[in-house]
Amino acid sequence: MSKNLRGFFSIAPTTSVPAEGADGGDLFVIFRWYNSFFSSSSAARACHGFWHNAALVLPAALFIAYLGFQAKRNIKKLGHGRAYVMIAYYVLLWFAALLNLAWSCLQAWQCAPGKDVAWNLLSLFTASGMLCLEIGIVAFLLQDNYVSGLETLAYTFMVSGIFVGVDVLFKVMCIFGFGVPIFIDVEITHRGKWAIWVAYKLLLSAVYGYILFVHYSKWKDKLPPKPAFYNYAIVLFIFNAIALCACGFAGIGAGIGLWLYNFTVVLYHSFYLPFLYVTFLADFFQEEDWLMDNAYYSEMKDAGFFDSEWD
């Protein structure tokens, strides 16, 4: 490998600047530009910079503002429809969104001495809330769409609760028992961390890949015919496949893998919750509006308001 590419592909980029016009110099400059623009340094460890944090905070804050703007109308519709499952997911969405905003605003805790425990706990709660939504939405949509029974609610949260509980227990053991810095994004040398993330991304890729395989096979009738669900599965499969490659490259010491991993973290925390809301919850609210409009139209038609159109 060329010495000029060492800063791009190694875990610790070199500080020397390659000669002008040398092979690989452009890649080196791009990587150094990214580090200087999106990262800062501290005495303890390299830390994310202003633009990285802004890319997390701004979408999270805008999504909270949007939820707040729509809250009155959405709560009224949820209360009117008595859709217990959707009510539970709406509450959980608010909980995860608030935790995600706090996580985005407190990125500096990764670099602050003595904040490791607080950062790991905040990251653990945030990741668990988002994972509960991710697993629960799959379990929910594999049943009848928008079922409002309490039995469905219990089953859905039992499935997601079991998976999330096992996930939390495993991560607690890794972080506080074995000292694996799972949630320290700026920690780049611990191979155990990358092995864990490779396993996680491989599992998630396999789950979404299996769903897509069944959907496009002769057994597709075993899954519900919900196009939005499969568009969601396609996006999540591609995302987790890219994250899997990033973790694999980072695990073997490639700096581009670390850059790509951090990029996927920003994408997930910035856009996953809005994407989930737009794909599922927003459709539920819009569908309820459509049903109400049809009901009003039927009532007006029965009352003879449209008879004049046929005269």
Side-chain angles (χ1 to χ4, degrees):
M1 184 182 299
S2 173
K3 294 181 179 179
N4 294 326
L5 296 179
R6 188 179 305 161
F8 186 74
F9 287 99
S10 64
I11 283 292
T14 179
T15 57
S16 61
V17 178
E20 184 177 358
D23 181 36
D26 292 340
L27 292 177
F28 179 86
V29 169
I30 293 173
F31 185 67
R32 290 293 303 277
W33 174 85
Y34 171 84
N35 281 343
S36 61
F37 202 61
F38 288 90
S39 303
S40 60
S41 60
S42 67
R45 54 171 81 108
C47 190
H48 293 307
F50 170 79
W51 293 108
H52 174 278
N53 297 341
L56 289 170
V57 173
L58 186 59
L62 289 176
F63 183 57
I64 290 290
Y66 177 79
L67 287 179
F69 181 76
Q70 299 288 333
K72 183 177 180 180
R73 181 172 63 92
N74 292 345
I75 292 173
K76 182 179 179 180
K77 291 180 180 180
L78 288 171
H80 176 76
R82 297 182 181 275
Y84 299 110
V85 176
M86 302 307 294
I87 292 172
Y89 272 105
Y90 188 69
V91 173
L92 184 57
L93 178 69
W94 265 102
F95 178 73
L98 291 172
L99 280 175
N100 187 56
L101 178 60
W103 181 87
S104 301
C105 293
L106 297 174
Q107 288 288 302
W109 280 10
Q110 293 190 66
C111 308
K115 292 290 187 179
D116 287 352
V117 174
W119 172 253
N120 283 321
L121 289 176
L122 176 61
S123 300
L124 186 64
F125 282 117
T126 304
S128 298
M130 298 178 73
L131 183 63
C132 187
L133 281 170
E134 187 171 354
I135 295 175
I137 204 71
V138 173
F140 173 51
L141 288 176
L142 289 177
Q143 305 173 76
D144 293 335
N145 201 13
Y146 307 139
V147 176
S148 59
L150 291 175
E151 292 183 0
T152 302
L153 176 64
Y155 172 78
T156 302
F157 279 92
M158 180 185 69
V159 172
S160 58
I162 290 174
F163 279 96
V164 172
V166 173
D167 175 75
V168 169
L169 180 61
F170 175 74
K171 287 177 179 176
V172 167
M173 291 175 58
C174 290
I175 295 171
F176 300 106
F178 300 101
V180 181
I182 296 177
F183 296 117
I184 307 297
D185 292 343
V186 292
E187 173 56 59
I188 58 180
T189 59
H190 200 291
R191 294 189 179 275
K193 165 189 173 177
W194 299 117
I196 291 172
W197 281 123
V198 165
Y200 265 81
K201 300 305 179 183
L202 181 62
L203 179 61
L204 289 172
S205 299
V207 169
Y208 289 112
Y210 171 76
I211 293 173
L212 295 175
F213 168 76
V214 174
H215 175 62
Y216 292 107
S217 69
K218 62 181 180 180
W219 302 288
K220 64 180 180 179
D221 293 338
K222 295 182 179 294
L223 296 176
K226 299 178 176 68
F229 173 49
Y230 300 106
N231 294 334
Y232 170 88
I234 289 172
V235 172
L236 267 293
F237 172 74
I238 295 174
F239 171 82
N240 283 288
I242 294 174
L244 173 63
C245 295
C247 294
F249 282 126
I252 63 175
I256 190 174
L258 177 65
W259 176 86
L260 188 58
Y261 168 76
N262 285 329
F263 181 68
T264 59
V265 170
V266 171
L267 283 181
Y268 183 75
H269 284 273
S270 298
F271 299 109
Y272 173 70
L273 293 178
F275 175 57
L276 184 147
Y277 178 85
V278 170
T279 304
F280 299 112
L281 292 176
D283 288 347
F284 171 77
F285 296 131
Q286 291 172 6
E287 180 177 287
E288 195 173 44
D289 275 341
W290 180 77
L291 292 175
M292 292 179 65
D293 289 341
N294 277 353
Y296 293 149
Y297 176 82
S298 298
E299 292 177 1
M300 294 175 69
K301 183 177 180 181
D302 293 340
F305 280 91
F306 303 104
D307 292 344
S308 59
E309 297 180 3
W310 301 97
D311 292 336

